[in-house]
Amino acid sequence: LMPEDRVEPILQTHQYLKPGDKIARTHPAIFEVATGRRIDLDAELAPNPWSIKEFSWHPEEARVRMLYNQRGHQVLRLLEIDALSGESSVLIDETSDTFIDYAGKRFLHIMEDGDHAIWMTERSGWNHLEMVDLVTGARTPITSGDWVVRAVDDVDEEAGTLRIRALGLDADQDPYHVHHAMIDLESGELTRLTEGDGTHELEFAPDGRHYIDRWSR
């Protein structure tokens, strides 16, 4: 750190975990206010957490969800604790023999009904979106093809649409050019918002019906 009152820098020391050090592990639990009853997450479903976060309640039932990211990043799970039965369960189980890009290729949107979720996955070999039935576990593709979803910018449940950023839509363009499109949640139909040869950045008007498209290569 370079101070303002002298030429010599100030040494700062930071402690961090190294191989062999004990690691603090997150153990989520639900507490019943009236009785003090504690309901712990089944540790076997989250044995080695890198993180457990994105907690949310089912909108109508006493069930809490959380996203478990396993150390090593080969397992990513949406877990649930039922506060009435005390049971824990796996709602979405994503695994990889190599690596799950939890930082750049992760998206989870639990729908307002609490029983379905939009989930990002590379299971097909291409990064795409699925609709997951959180009751049955059924996974239905929303997007597919030899291109990738780069990000989800908006979910409009009332209109039944997604607005996404995509790479590789055009065989004659650089596959890293960012394009934008709307996706119909029911049919999966893709409507292009950009086509020019380059990377695009959209700025929407407050009404959501008009946008400025800035693009360049």
Side-chain angles (χ1 to χ4, degrees):
L1 178 66
M2 184 62 71
E4 295 182 358
D5 60 346
R6 71 186 205 194
V7 175
E8 294 81 6
I10 297 174
L11 176 64
Q12 290 187 331
T13 301
H14 297 275
Q15 296 293 332
Y16 62 93
L17 294 173
K18 294 169 283 296
D21 289 346
K22 290 184 177 181
I23 299 172
R25 295 185 177 181
T26 303
H27 295 285
I30 298 174
F31 291 87
E32 191 172 71
V33 175
T35 65
R37 172 176 171 245
R38 171 173 173 156
I39 308 104
D40 287 279
L41 175 70
D42 184 347
E44 292 187 2
L45 302 183
N48 191 17
W50 167 266
S51 66
I52 301 178
K53 54 186 180 180
E54 296 191 33
F55 292 86
S56 65
W57 286 92
H58 188 285
E60 298 179 356
E61 301 177 26
R63 292 187 277 143
V64 68
R65 284 81 181 266
M66 63 210 70
L67 192 63
Y68 164 71
N69 184 356
Q70 186 160 292
R71 193 169 296 278
H73 312 302
Q74 293 178 306
V75 176
L76 191 65
R77 289 175 178 159
L78 182 64
L79 303 175
E80 179 180 83
I81 305 173
D82 189 315
L84 298 182
S85 69
E87 294 182 356
S88 302
S89 58
V90 179
L91 303 183
I92 302 176
D93 194 7
E94 192 78 19
T95 61
S96 172
D97 292 334
T98 54
F99 180 78
I100 296 173
D101 188 349
Y102 66 96
K105 297 177 182 176
R106 179 176 61 80
F107 181 79
L108 168 65
H109 173 86
I110 298 177
M111 305 293 280
E112 291 181 0
D113 66 5
D115 294 329
H116 297 83
I118 300 170
W119 179 256
M120 185 175 280
T121 177
E122 290 188 290
R123 290 197 307 159
S124 68
W126 302 84
N127 199 50
H128 280 294
L129 298 168
E130 296 178 336
M131 182 68 75
V132 183
D133 188 319
L134 300 180
V135 178
T136 67
R139 299 168 68 156
T140 304
I142 298 173
T143 62
S144 61
D146 295 351
W147 55 278
V148 300
V149 176
R150 182 65 184 86
V152 178
D153 290 323
D154 183 66
V155 179
D156 188 334
E157 292 192 37
E158 184 176 350
T161 60
L162 296 173
R163 180 160 51 86
I164 67 166
R165 279 174 272 168
L167 305 179
L169 286 175
D170 303 287
D172 59 344
Q173 292 188 27
D174 187 314
Y176 291 99
H177 286 168
V178 178
H179 283 279
H180 298 253
M182 300 293 294
I183 304 292
D184 185 282
L185 279 174
E186 186 172 345
S187 67
E189 181 181 356
L190 182 148
T191 302
R192 296 282 296 263
L193 300 179
T194 60
E195 293 185 356
D197 186 1
T199 284
H200 295 252
E201 181 180 341
L202 303 188
E203 181 178 343
F204 276 80
D207 64 7
R209 298 173 56 199
H210 304 85
Y211 59 89
I212 299 169
D213 176 15
R214 292 188 294 270
W215 64 280
S216 174
R217 63 178 185 276

